[in-house]
Amino acid sequence: MSLLQIDKLSLAIGGVQILHDVSLRLEAGQILGVIGESGSGKSMTAFAVTQLLPVGATCRGRVLLQGQDVLAQTEAQMCQLRGRVVSMVFQEPMTALNPLHPIGQQVAETIMVHENISRSAAMARAAQALTRAELPPERFPMGRYPHELSGGQRQRVVIAMAIALRPSLLIADEPTTALDVTTQAEILALLRRLVQEDGMGLMLISHDLAVVADMADQIVIMRQGEVVEQGPAAQLFSGLRHPYSQALLAASGHVPARPHRGQLGAPLLEVQRATRRYAGPRRGLWGRAPGFEAVRDVSFCLRRGESLGLVGESGCGKSTLTRAILGLDALQSGSIAFDGQPVWAGGSPARAVRRRMQVVFQDPYGSFNPRWKVARLVAEPFHLLDQPPTGAARRAAVNEALHSVGLTAADGDKYIHEFSGGQRQRIAIARALIIKPDLIILDEAVSALDVSVRAQVLDLLADLSGRFGLSYLFISHDLGVVRAITDRVLVMRAGQIIEEGPTEQVFASPTHPYTKELIAAAPVLPAYAKEIAQ
Amino acid sequence: MSLRNLIIGGTLSGVFLLAALLSFLWVPQDVTQLDIANKIRPPSAGHWLGTDHYGRDILSMIMVGARTSIAVALVAVGIGMGLGVPLGLAAAARHGGWLDEAIMRGNDLVFAFPSLLIAIMITAIFGASAVNAIIAIGIFNIPVFARLTRSGALSLWRRDFILAAQVAGKGAVRISVEHILPNVTNLLIVQGTIQFSLGILAEAGLSYVGLGAQPPTPSWGRMLADSQTMVSFAPHMALFPGMAILLTVLGLNLLGDGLRDMLDPRLRRLR
Amino acid sequence: MLQFFLKRLMALVLTLVVASGVIFLCLEIVPGDPALYMLGLNAQEDTLAALRAELGLDMGPLARYWAWVSGMVVGDFGISYTYRTPVAEMVAERLKVSLPLAVYALTLSTAIAFPAGIWAASRRGRGADIAVMGVTQLGVAIPNFWFAMLMVLVFAIQLRWFNAGGFAGWEAGVGPALKSLTLPAIALALPQASILARVMRSALLESLNEDYVRTARAKGLSRGQALWRHALRNALIPVLTIIGLQFAFLMAGAIIIENVFYLPGLGRLVFQAISARDLIVVESVVMLLVFAVVVVNFLVDIAYALVDPRLRGQV
C-alpha cells in the first residue's frame, strides 16, 4: 500500500475544470517532486489531498491516504487527519503565521488540537519540534512574535508546526520560492533531513526544475491540470517523451545566443565610492536611532556594449543602488557619472543623462498604470525629451517599439490587463526602448516569469542588445540567469561589492567565501539533465 | 447581487433626485400657501400623503424638502472632496514628511469634533441656517476624504509604475494627477456616495434640532420636528418625511455598495 | 510599550490644547458683550464694569484663555452668564444623564453587533448572512431621531410600556432611571450596531481569507476553531477603530436624541445655552465632548497595542 495514491483525480471550481484525471503515487520515506508552471494545477492537487479547497470545488476520482479515500471523509474526519497524518508548508512564510500569537503557542496548537494534553506539556513538545526545525528555543525564545523573525526563520516555524506530530505525509507547496538562495538551500536540507529521520513522505511542489531534480526520488510534471510526465528522477530526464517536458527542461538551462563582441567600448556608467545612508527611525522626541548604510563605498564601471550582472540577496542594497543610478535619490558621498556626465548635478537629477538610461522592473503586474492604454504607457519616457514627438510621429515611435519586442501596433490600443505576464515584460522593455537609451537596467526583470516565458524574454534581450547596441545592468538574485546573460558580474552583500570579475571566471572559481556559499547554494540541474538540456 | 443593489439603489436615489428637480417646475400644492381649514388631514385623494398642521400638502413639502437635503449634502461632499482629496494626495506624496504629519494631525483634530459639534459652534456664533449646516457637514467631510485619498495613494506610491514615471522624469504633482488620482477615483466615488447619504442624515438631524434650514424653507428634519407633538393623533405627519429620509439614504447606500462591487477590480476579476 | 503609551498620551494632550484653542477662538469672534446682554440695554455703566470684572471679561484674550483652560483643569468651568451658577455644577448634573446614556448605548450596540457580525460572517452567503445584512442596511439608513419617534409611538403611546419622555432621576432608583434611558439608548444604538456589525462581518471575512487561517486549518482546526482562535482577534483591529470613531457620533447623536425624549442631558443644556447666548456654557460643553472623544480614541490606541504585538515594539 502506498502512502499516497491519487487515481484519476478531476477537480472543478464553479464549473471550470482545473484538474483532469491526475494520477500519482508516493511511498513512505520518499520525496515526490511536482513540477509545473503557473496554472498547471500543482497546488490544487496538494489542496485536494488535504481537502482545503476553495468554496465551490468538486472532486472526482480517488485520493487514497494510507489506503483511506480522503474524498469519502467527512469534514470532521479530515480535521482529525490534518496536522496529524498529513501536514502542509506554504509558499509565503511572511503571511502564513498569525501575527498576534507567539510562535511557541502556534506550534503547540497543532499538538493541543489533536491530543488531550496540558498546555505546558504541549509547549515542551513544541520546543522539541522547533529544535528539530533548527530554531532552538534557547536562541529563539518561544515567546517571540512572527514579525520579530526573518522569512527563513518563519518558514522554520511553519515546518515545526507541520512536523510536531510526526505526520506520515508532508506537503510543501513552493516552500522556498519566497526565500533567498542561501536560505533556500538550508530549508531544503532541513526538509530532506526530516524525511530521513521520520521516514515520512514529502510531496515537494515547485516551479523550479533544479530545486526538485536535486531532491526528489520521483518526479511528476504537470501542465494545465494534467500530468504530462512522471517517473523516477534518475531516469525521467533521459527519457522525456512529452514535447512540453522536453521544452521545459530546455528552457530551464537556456543560454541565449548573444552577439559576440570584440573590444569593449568606452566607460558608460562609472560609479565611484557611492554611499547612501538612511536615517534611523525616530527615538523619543528628538533623537534618532543610528541610521544604516544601504550602499557603502561602492565603485564599479560599466562599459559601452557590456552586459554587467549584479548579484545579491534581498536587503543587500541592490535596489538602493539602482535608485541612485537612475537619479531618483541623491548619494551622501561618492559620485555616479554616465558617459562622463554626473547623474545628479546641482541638487537635482540631470535630464540629459536620465534620458539615456531606462529600467525594467520585476513585477509585470505592478509596473503599469491599469487605467492607461499601452500606447500611452509605452510613450511615457518621452517626458524626458525636450521636444517629444507628437501625433503621428509619436504613434509611429510607439509602434516601432512594440514591433521590436514582438508585439503589434494594435496592442497599443489595449489595456494592460489584457496581457499575460510575459507580454507585459515585453511591453516594459518597449517602454524602456522608446527613447533609444544606451543603458537598460533590468531589475529582476525575469524573476517573476515562468521558465519557458523567461527563456523567450532572455532571447529577446540578447537580440535587442545586438540590434540597438544596448548595455545592460542585470540585477538579479537568480545566479543561473545572471550566468546565462552577462559578461561580467558583481557580487553585493550588506551594501558592499565583495567580488567582481568576468562571469565565467567568478562562477567557476569564486574567491570570496560568500560568493562560494552563494554558488554552492544555488540549485542546479543534475549534470545528466544539464547535458540533455543542451 | 451587486447588480441588484445598483438597480434598486439607483432607482431609489433617482426618484428623490427627480422629485427635487421636478419641485422647481411643479408641485401638487404651493407650500407657501397655508390652508388652516384643511390642517392635519390623513392621506386622501386630494392630498396623497395628507396635510400638516398648517394644512400644507405633505407630498409637496417632501418634494421641496428633497431640494434642501440634496443640496446641503451635495455641497458638503463637494467641500470635503475639493479640500480633502488634494490634502490626501499631498500627504501621500510627501509621506513621512512634516506636511504629511501636519495634515494627519489636522485630520485627527477635526475628527474630535463630530459635525453636530461644529454645527453647534457655528450656530452659536452666526446663528442657524442651511449654509451653516453645509459648512459644518463639509468640514467634517474633509478629513474623511483626506484619509481615504492618502491611504489609497500610499499603496499606489509603492507600485512600480510610479517608479517608472519617476524614471521618466515626472515630478510628484504630475504623478499625483496623472497616475494616482485616476486610480483612487473608484474609492472616491464610492465614499462620495456614502458621505452623500450621511450628509442627508446629518442635515435631517440638524434641521430637526433647529440648527439647519430655517422656516419657511421646508426640510425633512424640520417636518419631523413639527410632527413630534402631534405624533399620537397624526402619525402620517411623522411617517412620510421619515420614510423619505430612510429611502433616500438606503438608496444611496445600496448605490454605493453596488458601485464598489462593480468598480473593485479585485471583485471583478473573480466574477 | 511604555514609549508607545507616552507618545499617545502626548498626542492626546496636544490635541486637547489645540482643540481648546480652536473653540476659544471661535467663540471669541462672536460679536456682542455678554455683560450687556445679561443686564439689559439700560444698565448702569459701573454695574456693567463690575460684572465684566466678575466674569473676567476685562482681561485680554490670552489671559482669558489661560484662565479658562487652567480653570477647566481643576474643574472650574466658570460662571454661567444667564443662570449665574458655576458651569461645572450644571454640567455635572447633566452628565448624570448623558454619560450613562452613552455607555448604555455603546454597550447595547457592541452586544448586538459582535454576535450578529460573527454569525453573518460564519454563514457567509446563507440565510443568516442575508438577513443580518438586510436588517443592518436598514439600520444604517434610518435617522435615529425618527426611529426614536416611532418607538415612542409604539412602545409609549400604543403599548404604554415606557414613558414617552423625561427622566425618572437616579433618586428614584437604578431600575426606573435605566428604564427611562432604555428607548433613547436603543434609538442611539441601532444605527451604530448596524455599522459595527457590517464592519465586524467584513473584517472577519477578510481575515478568514488570510494565509494564517489556512495554516490553522492545515493543523487540523475546524472552520469554527480557526475563526474563533485566529481570525477574530485579527478582525478586532479594524473593529476597534470603528468603535472609537463611533463614540464621537454617539456623543453627537445623544444631543439630538435627548431632544426627542426631553431628557435633561448635555444636549438640552447646550441648546438652552445657545438660545440664551450663554457662550461660556456652550464653550464648556463642546470642550467636554471633545475631551470625551479624544480620551476614547486614546483608549482605542492603547487597546490596539494590547491586541497587536507589532505595535508594542514601535516607538
Side-chain angles (χ1 to χ4, degrees):
Chain A
M1 185 179 68
S2 300
L3 171 63
L4 174 70
Q5 183 180 347
I6 300 180
D7 285 334
K8 289 193 174 297
L9 173 68
S10 292
L11 185 147
I13 299 175
V16 182
Q17 200 69 25
I18 306 290
L19 298 178
H20 311 266
D21 288 341
V22 171
S23 298
L24 53 86
R25 57 175 63 220
L26 167 62
E27 308 297 332
Q30 294 228 310
I31 299 177
L32 171 72
V34 181
I35 301 168
E37 297 185 309
S38 46
S40 64
K42 54 192 195 302
S43 295
M44 276 303 151
T45 310
F47 286 120
V49 175
T50 51
Q51 285 293 296
L52 285 175
L53 292 164
V55 183
T58 49
C59 297
R60 275 189 302 110
R62 288 199 307 168
V63 179
L64 298 178
L65 183 61
Q66 293 178 327
Q68 265 183 320
D69 190 356
V70 299
L71 299 184
Q73 307 286 309
T74 63
E75 172 59 25
Q77 286 169 319
M78 280 314 298
C79 286
Q80 292 292 308
L81 292 179
R82 286 184 212 122
R84 195 170 52 86
V85 179
V86 51
S87 286
M88 286 193 86
V89 175
F90 305 98
Q91 170 172 354
E92 197 38 82
M94 305 312 273
T95 53
L97 295 169
N98 188 336
L100 307 185
H101 293 175
I103 56 171
Q105 184 189 330
Q106 297 198 48
V107 177
E109 190 177 27
T110 309
I111 304 161
M112 293 176 70
V113 166
H114 292 282
E115 290 178 16
N116 192 13
I117 60 172
S118 73
R119 197 184 159 75
S120 55
M123 287 303 271
R125 297 223 346 233
Q128 287 168 15
L130 280 165
T131 308
R132 293 212 302 138
E134 293 162 13
L135 211 60
E138 302 87 70
R139 284 177 47 222
F140 303 93
M142 298 208 292
R144 291 241 174 120
Y145 286 93
H147 70 275
E148 298 169 300
L149 302 178
S150 72
Q153 290 163 348
R154 291 189 209 191
Q155 196 64 306
R156 290 174 193 280
V157 177
V158 177
I159 291 173
M161 271 174 0
I163 55 134
L165 291 170
R166 299 187 189 254
S168 321
L169 172 62
L170 180 65
I171 300 175
D173 185 7
E174 303 266 12
T176 57
T177 307
L179 304 175
D180 278 329
V181 197
T182 45
T183 319
Q184 163 168 286
E186 290 164 19
I187 295 285
L188 290 175
L190 168 65
L191 287 173
R192 197 185 336 226
R193 204 197 77 218
L194 290 169
V195 167
Q196 282 163 3
E197 282 176 12
D198 293 4
M200 67 180 174
L202 172 66
M203 184 168 166
L204 179 67
I205 296 166
S206 179
H207 68 285
D208 190 334
L209 209 56
V211 165
V212 173
D214 218 23
M215 294 263 296
D217 303 300
Q218 297 279 325
I219 288 182
V220 169
I221 300 178
M222 290 186 70
R223 182 203 187 195
Q224 293 172 4
E226 287 179 72
V227 172
V228 294
E229 198 110 30
Q230 64 178 310
Q235 293 146 38
L236 187 80
F237 289 109
S238 51
L240 287 176
R241 287 180 303 266
H242 198 281
Y244 173 74
S245 26
Q246 288 163 356
L248 190 67
L249 180 61
S252 5
H254 184 71
V255 177
R258 290 192 299 131
H260 186 74
R261 290 225 179 74
Q263 282 299 336
L264 281 173
L268 189 62
L269 177 70
E270 286 169 289
V271 177
Q272 266 167 7
R273 314 208 59 173
T275 297
R276 175 86 175 95
R277 206 174 11 252
Y278 284 110
R282 271 192 213 146
R283 280 270 168 80
L285 268 187
W286 293 276
R288 270 182 182 282
F292 86 107
E293 288 180 338
V295 171
R296 204 174 346 153
D297 209 10
V298 163
S299 303
F300 67 87
C301 170
L302 185 151
R303 292 175 174 274
R304 192 178 285 277
E306 191 179 28
S307 175
L308 178 65
L310 177 60
V311 181
E313 297 186 303
S314 52
C316 73
K318 289 178 299 190
S319 315
T320 307
L321 185 58
T322 314
R323 289 183 65 88
I325 293 172
L326 287 168
L328 297 177
D329 293 329
L331 292 172
Q332 260 78 34
S333 66
S335 68
I336 300 175
F338 189 90
D339 208 6
Q341 307 281 317
V343 169
W344 193 274
S348 66
R351 272 162 66 86
V353 169
R354 287 175 75 175
R355 69 177 65 124
R356 297 174 63 187
M357 285 191 277
Q358 281 297 305
V359 63
V360 176
F361 299 108
Q362 168 173 12
D363 179 10
Y365 294 88
S367 303
F368 304 97
N369 185 339
R371 307 203 153 255
W372 284 16
K373 285 184 177 168
V374 167
R376 189 175 175 198
L377 289 168
V378 169
E380 188 167 37
F382 276 146
H383 187 74
L384 283 168
L385 301 185
D386 295 325
Q387 272 147 0
T390 52
R394 189 183 184 90
R395 188 60 206 241
V398 169
N399 291 348
E400 194 193 325
L402 287 173
H403 279 304
S404 54
V405 296
L407 295 170
T408 64
D411 290 329
D413 295 318
K414 294 182 187 162
Y415 286 98
I416 198 70
H417 69 258
E418 298 172 60
F419 295 91
S420 69
Q423 286 172 319
R424 289 178 198 209
Q425 280 318 61
R426 285 172 189 270
I427 294 169
I429 295 169
R431 172 168 65 188
L433 284 176
I434 196 152
I435 48 168
K436 308 213 168 359
D438 299 307
L439 170 68
I440 296 184
I441 299 179
L442 300 155
D443 187 359
E444 301 275 5
V446 296
S447 302
L449 302 177
D450 278 331
V451 243
S452 49
V453 179
R454 171 187 303 179
Q456 290 162 14
V457 173
L458 287 177
D459 280 340
L460 173 68
L461 288 172
D463 174 48
L464 290 173
S465 79
R467 264 162 56 201
F468 298 108
L470 290 170
S471 309
Y472 292 136
L473 178 59
F474 200 98
I475 299 166
S476 183
H477 72 282
D478 187 329
L479 298 174
V481 171
V482 170
R483 189 171 194 176
I485 196 150
T486 62
D487 306 308
R488 216 151 50 83
V489 67
L490 312 166
V491 183
M492 196 166 179
R493 185 194 194 187
Q496 288 180 300
I497 306 274
I498 53 155
E499 181 152 6
E500 171 178 6
T503 305
E504 267 319 305
Q505 186 189 315
V506 170
F507 274 82
S509 49
T511 53
H512 194 281
Y514 176 70
T515 316
K516 287 180 186 162
E517 189 190 344
L518 260 188
I519 291 171
V524 284
L525 284 171
Y528 58 85
K530 216 184 284 178
E531 274 165 36
I532 303 161
Q534 284 158 10
Chain B
M1 184 77 179
S2 76
L3 192 67
R4 203 188 59 198
N5 283 346
L6 213 59
I7 292 170
I8 300 177
T11 314
L12 276 177
S13 13
V15 163
F16 283 94
L17 191 66
L18 281 178
L21 292 175
L22 181 65
S23 74
F24 285 103
L25 303 173
W26 173 83
V27 283
Q29 199 193 27
D30 187 357
V31 293
T32 55
Q33 212 81 65
L34 308 188
D35 181 8
I36 304 294
N38 275 319
K39 66 175 186 181
I40 321 185
R41 290 288 159 86
S44 65
H47 301 282
W48 288 2
L49 303 182
T51 61
D52 73 355
H53 55 303
Y54 292 124
R56 291 174 296 186
D57 180 49
I58 289 183
L59 177 60
S60 309
M61 296 276 287
I62 287 178
M63 284 172 68
V64 181
R67 267 192 235 165
T68 319
S69 283
I70 290 175
V72 168
L74 211 56
V75 178
V77 170
I79 293 175
M81 273 201 190
L83 292 171
V85 172
L87 285 175
L89 287 175
R94 294 279 172 266
H95 179 46
W98 65 267
L99 185 66
D100 185 21
E101 191 71 13
I103 290 173
M104 292 316 286
R105 291 290 79 80
N107 274 345
D108 289 348
L109 184 69
V110 179
F111 264 128
F113 293 83
S115 56
L116 193 72
L117 284 190
I118 302 176
I120 286 173
M121 280 170 45
I122 294 179
T123 316
I125 302 164
F126 303 107
S129 75
V131 174
N132 291 342
I134 289 177
I135 296 173
I137 303 170
I139 290 178
F140 188 72
N141 274 338
I142 296 171
V144 173
F145 284 103
R147 278 192 181 197
L148 181 78
T149 309
R150 177 176 176 272
S151 72
L154 275 183
S155 68
L156 288 167
W157 272 99
R158 283 191 283 269
R159 302 270 291 274
D160 280 345
F161 70 82
I162 301 298
L163 211 49
Q166 289 176 311
V167 171
K170 291 184 174 169
V173 175
R174 196 179 193 93
I175 289 176
S176 292
V177 173
E178 284 187 1
H179 286 289
I180 308 284
L181 193 56
N183 281 294
V184 294
T185 322
N186 285 350
L187 287 178
L188 293 176
I189 290 174
V190 172
Q191 193 65 37
T193 331
I194 292 167
Q195 292 308 120
F196 188 20
S197 79
L198 287 177
I200 286 184
L201 276 178
E203 191 276 336
L206 290 178
S207 48
Y208 171 78
V209 288
L211 299 183
Q214 294 301 301
T217 313
S219 77
W220 293 346
R222 190 86 225 157
M223 290 169 76
L224 285 173
D226 290 343
S227 77
Q228 196 176 346
T229 49
M230 291 163 246
V231 71
S232 56
F233 56 92
H236 70 276
M237 273 178 64
L239 206 57
F240 295 118
M243 287 299 283
I245 302 171
L246 172 65
L247 291 177
T248 312
V249 173
L250 184 68
L252 286 167
N253 285 344
L254 289 175
L255 189 66
D257 282 1
L259 283 174
R260 186 193 52 214
D261 293 351
M262 194 182 73
L263 297 174
D264 188 338
R266 268 191 310 173
L267 295 168
R268 193 166 36 191
R269 213 175 297 140
L270 289 177
R271 233 182 307 134
Chain C
M1 183 69 194
L2 182 70
Q3 233 169 358
F4 177 83
F5 181 83
L6 288 178
K7 196 184 164 192
R8 302 311 311 171
L9 196 66
M10 239 176 52
L12 172 133
V13 173
L14 204 68
T15 313
L16 285 178
V17 168
V18 179
S20 65
V22 169
I23 294 170
F24 184 79
L25 270 180
C26 279
L27 297 174
E28 183 70 10
I29 56 177
V30 181
D33 180 354
L36 193 67
Y37 192 84
M38 284 162 68
L39 291 176
L41 282 173
N42 38 13
Q44 298 289 324
E45 194 52 46
D46 53 338
T47 342
L48 267 177
L51 184 60
R52 285 202 190 100
E54 187 195 329
L55 296 176
L57 293 174
D58 52 348
M59 298 186 283
L62 219 65
R64 260 182 299 136
Y65 171 71
W66 179 246
W68 178 56
V69 170
S70 57
M72 268 194 306
V73 172
V74 295
D76 175 12
F77 287 67
I79 308 283
S80 158
Y81 298 162
T82 35
Y83 297 99
R84 310 293 289 268
T85 49
V87 177
E89 277 174 29
M90 296 165 68
V91 166
E93 192 55 39
R94 304 303 182 105
L95 263 182
K96 284 183 193 162
V97 178
S98 290
L99 195 63
L101 178 60
V103 172
Y104 195 174
L106 197 64
T107 315
L108 265 182
S109 79
T110 19
I112 299 167
F114 273 53
I118 294 169
W119 193 42
S122 64
R123 304 259 186 302
R124 184 186 194 174
R126 288 193 263 166
D129 185 21
I130 293 167
V132 168
M133 290 303 281
V135 171
T136 53
Q137 189 69 265
L138 277 178
V140 173
I142 207 164
N144 57 7
F145 57 93
W146 182 60
F147 181 60
M149 287 166 65
L150 294 184
M151 281 201 300
V152 168
L153 187 62
V154 175
F155 295 107
I157 296 173
Q158 302 288 333
L159 297 173
R160 300 191 175 278
W161 290 354
F162 295 92
N163 286 332
F167 182 60
W170 294 104
E171 303 76 28
V174 176
L178 279 184
K179 193 179 170 193
S180 51
L181 290 181
T182 298
L183 285 187
I186 294 175
L188 270 178
L190 177 83
Q192 307 298 334
S194 301
I195 295 170
L196 205 54
R198 292 174 84 85
V199 172
M200 181 85 229
R201 173 185 177 270
S202 62
L204 199 50
L205 285 179
E206 195 144 303
S207 58
L208 279 173
N209 263 331
E210 295 284 348
D211 283 354
Y212 54 78
V213 171
R214 189 179 60 182
T215 312
R217 297 272 286 135
K219 283 186 207 172
L221 270 73
S222 70
R223 224 178 280 275
Q225 285 172 320
L227 188 152
W228 284 102
R229 294 192 201 170
H230 292 275
L232 191 58
R233 207 169 138 200
N234 279 282
L236 276 185
I237 295 169
V239 170
L240 275 175
T241 317
I242 301 295
I243 293 183
L245 280 180
Q246 273 191 330
F247 188 76
F249 282 96
L250 215 63
M251 299 298 299
I255 294 180
I256 295 182
I257 290 296
E258 282 170 9
N259 272 281
V260 181
F261 291 95
Y262 307 103
L263 290 176
L266 285 178
R268 303 276 294 167
L269 177 66
V270 95
F271 285 116
Q272 288 159 1
I274 287 177
S275 48
R277 301 199 62 73
D278 198 346
L279 294 182
I280 186 125
V281 174
V282 177
E283 205 170 49
S284 304
V285 173
V286 169
M287 190 62 221
L288 196 70
L289 292 180
V290 168
F291 177 76
V293 169
V294 173
V295 167
V296 166
N297 282 309
F298 169 74
L299 294 177
V300 165
D301 277 343
I302 301 302
Y304 266 163
L306 291 179
V307 171
D308 194 338
R310 285 165 294 187
L311 286 176
R312 281 177 227 157
Q314 267 179 29
V315 183

